[in-house]
Amino acid sequence: MSLSASPPVEIGLNAAVVAIDNRAPAILVIAGEQGVRDALPFGPFEPTRHRTFETSLRASVEAQTALKLGYIEQLYTFGDRGRQKAPDEAGTHMVSVGYLALTRMDAEATEKLEAVGARWRDWYAFLPWEDWRGGRPAILDRTIIPALTEWAAESAPHDSKALPGRKARLRLAFGLDDFPWDEERVLERYELLYEGGLAAEAVTDGWAAPGKPAAGVAMRHDHRRILATAVARLRGKIKYRPVIFELMPVEFTLTDLQATVEAISGRHLHKQNFRRLVEGAELVEPTGATSSTTGGRPAALFRFRKQILEERPAPGLKVGGR
């Protein structure tokens, strides 16, 4: 019995690098030329040069963007057939290991990024339905929910009876009927948009026919799916680990900390409730200094209280559900 030869497999490494830019969540992208979509920093794993995936990723990102990464963690392995849009699956099949990386915004570093064709973009440009800081996003009721409701009513012969149906998935992911909106279901929402043909990537992949309204800015290959995975991970992570301080300067006001948590979670937080949450979590301590950059009354400056890492196993800011 003869077996058809499988294409060679190459391992690639993608980084969803996050920073806070003017109180907005920024994602680092390699800017595409005219007509080419933005992409996440990417590089092949080179085992002859690097012992681990992480060291190889750090080297690739630094080479592409001149940026040194701080906190980093592995997300998921992305290896679906067709993810690189190769005609007839010819050539090497790329399997990517996605990473979440956090860094602080730096003006000098940003200039270097621009010089090598990289830039920071607000991640809500790619996922606009995830930003609830100013209330329910208009795109949900104007575009997404009507289109996905129509899609969910269509027959789906490939859906397994053992899995939730389209309508149930839609209600759960987008908080319809009696279900609450869960800010951590970012990937589930993007996958529904992809399956329903509202993600332009689905048209490029041949999954959906053109003609439906596009939701958000598309990215190269399946990089928006990797971004959605990173956003979901970070939104969950800040609730039980103090990773939010990887995005903060050494000294900060509580207003700046609240704005950063709101930027990541995509939700507005009541000022007094947030301050009680921070005080109860014992994550910060006053420096004794103040800041007058707001133009109003000087605001007290705080810093991350590192001793918390020795006192509790899961210190984080447990912002509640909507």
Side-chain angles (χ1 to χ4, degrees):
M1 182 177 63
S2 62
L3 297 175
S4 58
S6 297
V9 175
E10 183 175 336
I11 297 176
L13 305 168
N14 281 93
V17 185
V18 179
I20 295 295
D21 183 16
N22 194 26
R23 297 187 174 182
I27 188 75
L28 185 64
V29 299
I30 305 301
E33 299 176 0
Q34 187 173 4
V36 179
R37 297 169 180 171
D38 290 344
L40 298 176
F42 171 86
F45 173 54
E46 300 179 275
T48 57
R49 295 183 57 197
H50 303 285
R51 187 176 64 85
T52 67
F53 285 175
E54 183 175 321
T55 55
S56 184
L57 177 73
R58 289 181 184 275
S60 293
V61 171
E62 184 174 350
Q64 289 184 61
T65 67
L67 182 71
K68 291 185 180 295
L69 299 181
Y71 175 90
I72 185 171
E73 71 168 271
Q74 191 176 127
L75 288 170
Y76 188 73
T77 299
F78 302 84
D80 291 357
R81 186 162 55 88
R83 61 180 301 271
Q84 297 292 336
K85 288 81 173 175
D88 301 321
E89 294 300 319
T92 301
H93 178 67
M94 181 65 69
V95 174
S96 282
V97 180
Y99 280 83
L100 166 66
L102 308 181
T103 190
R104 295 180 176 90
M105 191 63 68
D106 179 87
E108 182 178 346
T110 299
E111 289 183 6
K112 293 180 180 178
L113 292 175
E114 293 173 351
V116 295
R119 61 177 174 171
W120 294 103
R121 289 201 63 180
D122 187 332
W123 76 22
Y124 292 124
F126 304 105
L127 309 167
W129 55 89
E130 295 293 338
D131 187 5
W132 287 65
R133 289 173 296 173
R136 183 178 176 86
I139 192 174
L140 283 172
D141 298 315
R142 184 182 66 240
T143 303
I144 292 175
I145 300 304
L148 287 183
T149 299
E150 181 179 345
W151 167 79
E154 299 172 355
S155 61
H158 59 282
D159 285 353
S160 170
K161 292 182 179 179
L163 299 175
R166 289 181 176 184
K167 292 181 181 180
R169 291 173 61 205
L170 179 58
R171 289 197 300 270
L172 187 61
F174 284 91
L176 304 182
D177 300 333
D178 295 330
F179 288 99
W181 176 274
D182 184 344
E183 62 263 22
E184 292 184 44
R185 294 186 179 274
V186 188
L187 179 59
E188 295 168 53
R189 286 188 281 271
Y190 174 72
E191 288 182 335
L192 279 171
L193 289 165
Y194 182 95
E195 293 176 35
L198 275 72
E201 294 92 333
V203 178
T204 305
D205 294 352
W207 175 274
K212 291 188 178 181
V217 177
M219 299 186 79
R220 226 176 298 174
H221 307 316
D222 58 354
H223 291 194
R224 194 155 52 142
R225 183 171 183 249
I226 299 174
L227 172 60
T229 306
V231 175
R233 175 71 63 85
L234 186 53
R235 284 181 171 182
K237 196 87 171 181
I238 63 174
K239 297 176 183 179
Y240 63 90
R241 296 299 298 167
V243 294
I244 197 71
F245 298 102
E246 298 287 341
L247 300 168
M248 303 296 300
V250 176
E251 296 184 351
F252 49 83
T253 67
L254 291 184
T255 298
D256 287 335
L257 179 60
Q258 178 177 340
T260 299
V261 174
E262 289 177 331
I264 298 302
S265 65
R267 59 196 305 272
H268 174 70
L269 301 171
H270 186 273
K271 181 177 180 179
Q272 295 306 319
N273 289 345
F274 178 79
R275 299 202 170 200
R276 281 194 291 268
L277 176 67
V278 171
E279 291 173 2
E282 299 180 316
L283 291 172
V284 301
E285 60 187 7
T287 65
T290 60
S291 171
S292 57
T293 57
T294 59
R297 188 172 64 181
L301 288 170
F302 292 79
R303 59 176 168 250
F304 172 52
R305 194 172 72 86
K306 296 181 180 179
Q307 295 91 326
I308 195 70
L309 297 173
E310 302 173 1
E311 298 169 359
R312 288 209 306 273
L317 290 169
K318 295 178 174 61
V319 291
R322 196 172 306 284

